[in-house]
Amino acid sequence: NMLNRLETAFETQNNFISNASHELRTPLTIISGEVELALKSTNDFEKQSLALKKIKDEAERLEHILTSLLGLAQSGFNGKVQPREEVRIDELLWEIKSTVAQVHTESKIEIDLSKLPDDEQLLTIKVNKNLIKLAISNIVSNACKYSNGKLVNIALETTGNHISVAVTDQGIGIPQTDIQHIFEPFYRASNTNNYNGYGVGLPLSLNIIRLHRGSIAIKSQEGVGTENKVLLPNNG
């Protein structure tokens, strides 16, 4: 487990600096250009106002990118084990649904508990609650964002020594040529240009899931939808 965490740390660091510098340079370049425009337009209030609005938008974008980068850097791959507690995964999913629905107000999220085990103890896992909540929330949030108001289903079941959380949407799907890259930091699928995002959510989720000795499997068809299945060991 330690080697697994360290390997992921090295992979992340190898791409981190070049990717981060690229992502940060774009809004900074725009901000610099708009500042110059505003300084030259001292007698044109409308131009100044538009420039200031653009600066504000890009500054907010910069803040989002930095927050995402910080989350990616602090997601546990430093050789340390994050503090953990026992969590009922079904209760956590209701929390996640409520949180995501506040952001994506047009979303339709359904939780499928039809395959719950008879033994409720199998639903309790020892995890870092905040990190796991963040990881699954990112996946559900993505599903809602790319579904344009269509139903997003979260199915929970236990399989052997694992808990499975499958998030299925009926959204735009992912082109087959993009799927292999979808967990790379800053990578965005070729059909997502009309959607806001920075390509950090899924890599962060994968880091967190791997930290908990779990895995993510993804199936997708462009124009049909996507299924992200998270597997977490339920033996602590």
Side-chain angles (χ1 to χ4, degrees), residues 85 127-135 208:
E85 61 186 284
V127 295
N128 181 291
K129 182 179 178 180
N130 290 333
L131 287 180
I132 285 294
K133 185 175 180 180
L134 175 60
I208 293 169

Side-chain angles (χ1 to χ4, degrees), residues 82-147:
Q82 302 292 327
R84 302 191 181 196
E85 61 186 284
E86 290 196 343
V87 174
R88 274 281 298 252
I89 194 71
D90 52 338
E91 294 174 359
L92 186 65
L93 291 181
W94 289 110
E95 288 183 30
I96 289 169
K97 176 182 176 179
S98 176
T99 301
V100 174
Q102 288 178 348
V103 178
H104 299 280
T105 53
E106 78 294 344
S107 63
K108 297 173 186 170
I109 306 171
E110 200 171 78
I111 297 179
D112 179 3
L113 302 177
S114 62
K115 295 181 179 178
L116 289 189
D118 295 330
D119 182 2
E120 290 186 357
Q121 287 297 315
L122 295 176
L123 295 172
T124 301
I125 52 177
K126 199 167 186 179
V127 295
N128 181 291
K129 182 179 178 180
N130 290 333
L131 287 180
I132 285 294
K133 185 175 180 180
L134 175 60
I136 299 176
S137 293
N138 280 343
I139 295 169
V140 176
S141 182
N142 262 8
C144 291
K145 179 165 68 173
Y146 298 118
S147 289

Side-chain angles (χ1 to χ4, degrees), residues 145-146 148 172 188-197:
K145 179 165 68 173
Y146 298 118
N148 299 315
I172 62 173
R188 301 197 70 214
S190 55
N191 60 342
T192 61
N193 291 336
N194 295 326
Y195 300 84
N196 291 328

Side-chain angles (χ1 to χ4, degrees), residues 39-228:
L39 289 172
K40 290 177 182 175
S41 308
T42 52
N43 297 322
D44 191 330
F45 177 77
E46 188 176 347
K47 274 189 179 179
Q48 271 201 337
S49 182
L50 287 172
L52 289 172
K53 184 182 182 305
K54 188 70 174 175
I55 290 168
K56 180 176 180 292
D57 291 344
E58 291 302 316
E60 288 177 355
R61 180 183 171 195
L62 199 55
E63 183 183 3
H64 283 304
I65 293 172
L66 286 169
T67 302
S68 299
L69 287 172
L70 192 60
L72 192 60
Q74 293 181 336
S75 58
F77 288 98
N78 53 8
K80 295 180 182 178
V81 177
Q82 302 292 327
R84 302 191 181 196
E85 61 186 284
E86 290 196 343
V87 174
R88 274 281 298 252
I89 194 71
D90 52 338
E91 294 174 359
L92 186 65
L93 291 181
W94 289 110
E95 288 183 30
I96 289 169
K97 176 182 176 179
S98 176
T99 301
V100 174
Q102 288 178 348
V103 178
H104 299 280
T105 53
E106 78 294 344
S107 63
K108 297 173 186 170
I109 306 171
E110 200 171 78
I111 297 179
D112 179 3
L113 302 177
S114 62
K115 295 181 179 178
L116 289 189
D118 295 330
D119 182 2
E120 290 186 357
Q121 287 297 315
L122 295 176
L123 295 172
T124 301
I125 52 177
K126 199 167 186 179
V127 295
N128 181 291
K129 182 179 178 180
N130 290 333
L131 287 180
I132 285 294
K133 185 175 180 180
L134 175 60
I136 299 176
S137 293
N138 280 343
I139 295 169
V140 176
S141 182
N142 262 8
C144 291
K145 179 165 68 173
Y146 298 118
S147 289
N148 299 315
K150 292 180 182 175
L151 182 67
V152 172
N153 183 270
I154 307 173
L156 176 63
E157 65 177 305
T158 57
T159 55
N161 294 323
H162 287 82
I163 284 176
S164 164
V165 178
V167 180
T168 307
D169 65 57
Q170 302 168 37
I172 62 173
I174 305 168
Q176 290 303 303
T177 53
D178 292 336
I179 287 181
Q180 61 181 322
H181 303 291
I182 211 68
F183 290 108
E184 296 174 9
F186 305 109
Y187 186 89
R188 301 197 70 214
S190 55
N191 60 342
T192 61
N193 291 336
N194 295 326
Y195 300 84
N196 291 328
Y198 306 103
V200 178
L202 281 180
L204 177 54
S205 293
L206 179 62
N207 276 6
I208 293 169
I209 298 301
R210 287 181 66 177
L211 174 66
H212 288 82
R213 294 180 290 116
S215 62
I216 303 178
I218 186 166
K219 291 190 297 185
S220 189
Q221 186 176 343
E222 191 172 7
V224 176
T226 302
E227 178 194 78
N228 281 280

